[in-house]
Amino acid sequence: MTDRNIIELKNITVSFDGDTVLDDLNLSIRDGEFVTFLGASGCGKTTTLRVIAGFITPDNGDVFFDGKRINDLPPHKRNVNTIFQRYALFPHLNIYDNVAFGLKVAKVPKDEIERRVDEMLELVNMKAMKYRKVQTLSGGQQQRVAIARALVNNPRVLLLDEPLAALDYKLRKDMQNELRRIQQTTGITFIFVTHDQEEALSMSDTVVVMNEGKIQQIGSPTDIYNEPKNAFVADFIGESNIIDGVMLEDYKVKLDGREFVCLDKGFRKNEPVDVVIRPEDVDIVPAEKGELTGEVTSNTFKGDYYEMIVDVCGFKWMVQATDETKVGAKIGLIIEPDAIHVMKKSKYSGKFGDYSTFSDEMDQMEEEEEEAELESEATENE
Amino acid sequence: MNKRKGTFGTAALNTPFVVWSAIFIIVPLIFVIYYSFFDQDSGVFTLDHVKYFFGNPSVLKSFGQSVWLSVASTLISLLIAYPFAYFLSKKRPASQRVQMVLVMAPMWMNMVVRTYSWATILEKNGLLNNILESMGLGKINIIGTSGAVILGMVYNYLPYMILPIYTSMSKIGTPLLEAAEDLGCNSFQKLTRVIMPLSLSGVVSGIIMVFVPSISTFYISQAMSDRKILLIGDIIESQITGMWSTGGLNRGAAMSFVLMVIILICTFIMNKYADSDEGGMMI
């Protein structure tokens, strides 16, 4: 990764039929970086990608590529290639010809095309099948061909639009590693769009969390997880208990009527704040030894840990522990200073981080809804 | 294509079609073949009727004329339909629907009526010549020329060329076109490298759907040429309508049969060019 910016978006605004999809967006991407746009469907992440690719011209603002303004440059003249959500392989061409497509259009000499396509198919492990028809391939194989077809052109930037969404869990994991490996060996800037936070955290150098057409936070995966900027980010990335608190002074925060020592500073005296505590950072002790006490209202076995909902004075906390605790038991909770993260109040305060309505079933329903939305989004874009 | 085991439901749904095909396609076909090879009166097997097609100069001349007129009108239809379908498929969906309705609208009217209207417009004392004359330009003779017959064919069968080409183009979908742009294609390269190969099956269907009715038509040539141009369809028609004259039915059936075989061979060759995976098979 270098310190030079390859792509800069300045004050980008895009609206479709009066709906603002991107709202005054500013973003710089460094050359050689693996950047992920993360957000729920409709947050504007795909639109941002399409602005960079050139399929959407922003209503306002400028797109810079390597310092040059490229607002009016059509997609075929941009040194950028895309891996599309459903791969978009050409059905009338075999694997080899699909990969060779861009080079043939660019009128690269024949023997060079052959060499580069072979190299690329080697990189994605598809060399053995190079004359197969693309319709006969599995999703994972089509994915590899799509990667090869884009990368063979040596783009400066590769755009990936939810490329793993259609793959099953195991294959997705493999492809995540593979994409990371390819990015590191080629040094090409990757801009990856996903709604899967785990995917975003495990692959990227930088994560851009988006919601409602705005960037909520930009940072490294650890920053985003450990230092979320607002309740939206804290809730979207992993599980979070978000509790109303008051910052009494530097390093001292009051929540649920008790004072806690924390590592945060720089707030006004007695400023109301949001306090984030991750479920895995809460220690469980017998009730009489706890800083807070509560009653376990549900307990779900998750394989390598138990996930409990604990009612503390009416606020439902999510707590993760390796030992089982019976439902109905009174337990004590201890929160270490480094487990507490204090955030300024934002418009998302109070909307997230309470598990009183939480159930696994609802989580699943939301996911399905999201997928359905994703589908309709894809068709809308057409 | 999926092969599914026929359940009772699918069988029940299929039955009317099967019965229909048997009565109105298979049985008449058997009659055609029977009358081609067996004498109408004596019932004796003979190749005379089939030979009549190849041995009679006036039949061969009509056949040649049918081939050239239908090839010409198929090509002209293709030249009109392809760019039309291409630009149409780039329009917004709402205007695509409206324009497709307009393409199909003439088909709601009977073909005989429409062809007659053309004949009335173009005839010696018709609308066109009246206008030309009032402008002091003198009359032109259109009815009776090959051009008039080609006009009739193109006018009647153009929608059958537009429909399959438009369908195959709109099936290509935005993602593939965006992928082509993304990989460096300008509009022209997009057309030659993606749209043309992927709409080939539609072109083949369109060619077959225009060529087949054109080569066997008898009505259009009668109306548009004032019976000056005799196509193979006209000869078959006159043989069969005069079928009680000796052997007319036999000769008509034999000519139909030969024509059918020739069309089948052409169709088969055309389909070889279309990617059979794309579902472009048309017989």
Side-chain angles (χ1 to χ4, degrees):
Chain A
M1 211 193 310
T2 64
D3 287 333
R4 220 184 44 214
N5 285 338
I6 186 151
I7 284 178
E8 278 168 275
L9 302 178
K10 294 213 167 119
N11 310 102
I12 299 286
T13 302
V14 172
S15 50
F16 297 138
D17 304 324
D19 287 337
T20 305
V21 183
L22 292 183
D23 190 1
D24 197 25
L25 188 112
N26 286 287
L27 177 66
S28 302
I29 292 166
R30 277 167 297 168
D31 198 8
E33 196 176 13
F34 195 128
V35 184
T36 300
F37 296 167
L38 174 65
S41 57
C43 73
K45 55 193 192 301
T46 297
T47 309
T48 312
L49 199 76
R50 290 169 63 80
V51 166
I52 297 172
F55 297 125
I56 295 175
T57 312
D59 303 340
N60 255 316
D62 294 313
V63 186
F64 291 92
F65 185 93
D66 216 4
K68 279 192 282 287
R69 185 175 174 276
I70 56 163
N71 283 36
D72 306 316
L73 204 64
H76 70 271
K77 288 190 179 153
R78 296 191 182 191
N79 198 354
V80 162
N81 285 111
T82 309
I83 293 174
F84 293 86
Q85 215 171 77
R86 301 207 198 302
Y87 323 131
L89 299 178
F90 299 117
H92 60 296
L93 302 175
N94 63 23
I95 292 178
Y96 180 92
D97 288 327
N98 259 286
V99 178
F101 190 93
L103 298 177
K104 282 182 183 166
V105 171
K107 305 217 161 54
V108 173
K110 213 173 168 224
D111 46 336
E112 191 189 333
I113 293 183
E114 223 159 284
R115 184 178 54 75
R116 278 167 70 177
V117 171
D118 278 349
E119 247 174 50
M120 218 16 94
L121 288 174
E122 187 107 48
L123 183 77
V124 297
N125 280 325
M126 290 293 290
K127 204 177 171 189
M129 322 189 190
K130 67 179 183 181
Y131 298 117
R132 284 261 297 270
K133 288 197 149 201
V134 290
Q135 296 99 314
T136 61
L137 302 180
S138 69
Q141 290 168 332
Q142 290 191 31
Q143 179 65 75
R144 283 161 205 271
V145 176
I147 293 170
R149 184 179 70 173
L151 280 178
V152 76
N153 306 294
N154 282 333
R156 294 283 302 281
V157 175
L158 185 70
L159 308 175
L160 303 99
D161 186 4
E162 305 232 14
L164 309 182
L167 305 181
D168 60 50
Y169 182 79
K170 175 100 177 52
L171 200 54
R172 206 156 67 218
K173 290 277 160 232
D174 291 346
M175 288 305 297
Q176 283 173 11
N177 292 331
E178 200 140 338
L179 281 175
R180 188 76 185 128
R181 175 180 66 83
I182 291 170
Q183 197 268 332
Q184 277 161 352
T185 40
T186 57
I188 294 171
T189 310
F190 274 36
I191 304 178
F192 188 96
V193 161
T194 184
H195 64 276
D196 181 338
Q197 43 115 349
E198 195 189 327
E199 198 165 275
L201 295 181
S202 63
M203 296 172 80
S204 331
D205 297 317
T206 305
V207 178
V208 178
V209 184
M210 295 180 69
N211 190 46
E212 295 172 332
K214 287 190 174 191
I215 294 175
Q216 302 296 327
Q217 186 167 2
I218 305 176
S220 71
T222 44
D223 279 354
I224 299 267
Y225 190 85
N226 293 332
E227 311 283 329
K229 262 198 185 140
N230 61 36
F232 175 82
V233 178
D235 180 75
F236 195 77
I237 313 287
E239 300 290 353
S240 307
N241 300 294
I242 304 173
I243 302 123
D244 283 333
V246 176
M247 203 67 187
L248 298 173
E249 57 189 74
D250 283 354
Y251 311 115
K252 203 171 267 182
V253 65
K254 188 173 166 188
L255 55 102
D256 278 347
R258 252 195 98 109
E259 280 177 31
F260 286 87
V261 178
C262 65
L263 306 177
D264 301 85
K265 61 178 170 112
F267 292 84
R268 280 182 283 117
K269 227 173 165 41
N270 293 324
E271 180 175 345
V273 289
D274 286 336
V275 180
V276 179
I277 296 161
R278 299 285 182 184
E280 69 272 20
D281 291 339
V282 179
D283 296 326
I284 296 178
V285 292
E288 61 279 8
K289 287 188 190 159
E291 294 168 315
L292 296 169
T293 51
E295 185 184 326
V296 178
T297 59
S298 91
N299 192 349
T300 315
F301 180 55
K302 287 284 184 182
D304 38 6
Y305 61 90
Y306 289 90
E307 187 175 273
M308 296 174 244
I309 303 297
V310 183
D311 187 333
V312 181
C313 315
F315 189 89
K316 309 260 181 163
W317 290 57
M318 177 185 278
V319 177
Q320 291 167 357
T322 44
D323 298 318
E324 190 181 2
T325 313
K326 290 266 176 298
V327 172
K330 290 249 188 264
I331 56 169
L333 305 177
I334 287 188
I335 299 151
E336 299 288 338
D338 65 352
I340 295 174
H341 171 63
V342 181
M343 305 182 302
K344 281 200 183 298
K345 285 277 181 191
S346 68
K347 67 169 184 167
Y348 297 108
S349 297
K351 288 188 181 166
F352 301 106
D354 173 10
Y355 287 94
S356 51
T357 54
F358 172 80
S359 77
D360 272 353
E361 206 176 320
M362 248 177 66
D363 236 17
Q364 238 163 35
M365 270 159 55
E366 262 167 35
E367 240 164 62
E368 274 160 26
E369 234 167 66
E370 203 159 86
E371 261 161 43
E373 265 173 47
L374 208 71
E375 299 263 327
S376 65
E377 198 180 57
T379 42
E380 264 168 40
N381 282 340
E382 274 169 18
Chain B
M1 208 186 282
N2 282 336
K3 265 191 186 166
R4 279 201 206 144
K5 282 208 167 167
T7 59
F8 176 75
T10 58
L13 285 172
N14 277 335
T15 309
F17 175 70
V18 171
V19 172
W20 176 275
S21 327
I23 297 175
F24 294 105
I25 300 175
I26 310 289
V27 172
L29 209 59
I30 291 170
F31 274 111
V32 170
I33 295 171
Y34 175 81
Y35 282 118
S36 304
F37 295 104
F38 295 90
D39 196 83
Q40 183 185 345
D41 302 317
S42 59
V44 178
F45 178 83
T46 170
L47 287 175
D48 287 355
H49 309 309
V50 179
K51 279 183 194 150
Y52 180 83
F53 186 105
F54 298 100
N56 189 320
S58 67
V59 174
L60 283 179
K61 185 178 164 239
S62 287
F63 179 67
Q65 206 145 30
S66 285
V67 171
W68 114 253
L69 289 178
S70 52
V71 167
S73 45
T74 306
L75 284 179
I76 292 169
S77 303
L78 180 62
L79 287 178
I80 298 170
Y82 200 87
F84 180 84
Y86 172 69
F87 289 111
L88 183 60
S89 67
K90 288 181 20 167
K91 292 233 161 94
R92 291 176 40 216
S95 89
Q96 286 190 24
R97 276 192 293 274
V98 172
Q99 297 207 32
M100 274 327 278
V101 171
L102 290 179
V103 166
M104 314 245 271
M107 292 160 81
W108 300 341
M109 240 182 299
N110 188 292
M111 171 186 160
V112 176
V113 177
R114 283 183 290 140
T115 312
Y116 249 121
S117 320
W118 268 113
T120 342
I121 293 170
L122 300 178
E123 70 187 0
K124 211 179 341 169
N125 298 312
L127 185 65
L128 180 70
N129 274 334
N130 281 336
I131 293 172
L132 286 177
E133 208 161 38
S134 69
M135 290 163 67
L137 288 167
K139 293 185 176 184
I140 49 168
N141 249 335
I142 298 175
I143 293 296
T145 61
S146 317
V149 179
I150 291 174
L151 174 73
M153 289 177 174
V154 171
Y155 173 73
N156 275 302
Y157 301 129
L158 186 62
Y160 299 106
M161 185 66 92
I162 292 175
L163 274 174
I165 295 176
Y166 167 73
T167 308
S168 64
M169 277 186 185
S170 46
K171 266 199 329 206
I172 294 173
T174 320
L176 282 186
L177 300 178
E178 283 187 350
E181 271 180 75
D182 188 76
L183 292 165
C185 287
N186 58 31
S187 299
F188 180 71
Q189 288 164 320
K190 212 162 66 178
L191 176 69
T192 55
R193 288 179 179 272
V194 179
I195 298 173
M196 292 229 259
L198 286 175
S199 58
L200 186 66
S201 65
V203 170
V204 169
S205 300
I207 287 177
I208 293 167
M209 286 173 79
V210 173
F211 179 74
V212 172
S214 295
I215 199 172
S216 53
T217 186
F218 59 90
Y219 179 71
I220 293 172
S221 53
Q222 283 171 11
M224 300 298 279
S225 81
D226 211 7
R227 293 184 183 265
K228 286 194 193 94
I229 294 176
L230 278 185
L231 298 185
I232 189 72
D234 297 309
I235 297 199
I236 294 173
E237 192 226 1
S238 61
Q239 290 285 355
I240 292 182
T241 49
M243 64 182 165
W244 302 117
S245 72
T246 325
L249 186 59
N250 288 128
R251 288 191 294 276
M255 280 187 263
S256 304
F257 180 73
V258 172
L259 191 61
M260 202 164 64
V261 171
I262 292 168
I263 289 172
L264 276 178
I265 292 170
C266 292
T267 312
F268 184 75
I269 293 168
M270 285 303 295
N271 274 327
K272 281 273 158 200
Y273 284 100
D275 192 354
S276 50
D277 290 342
E278 293 291 299
M281 279 296 269
M282 275 292 307
I283 291 185

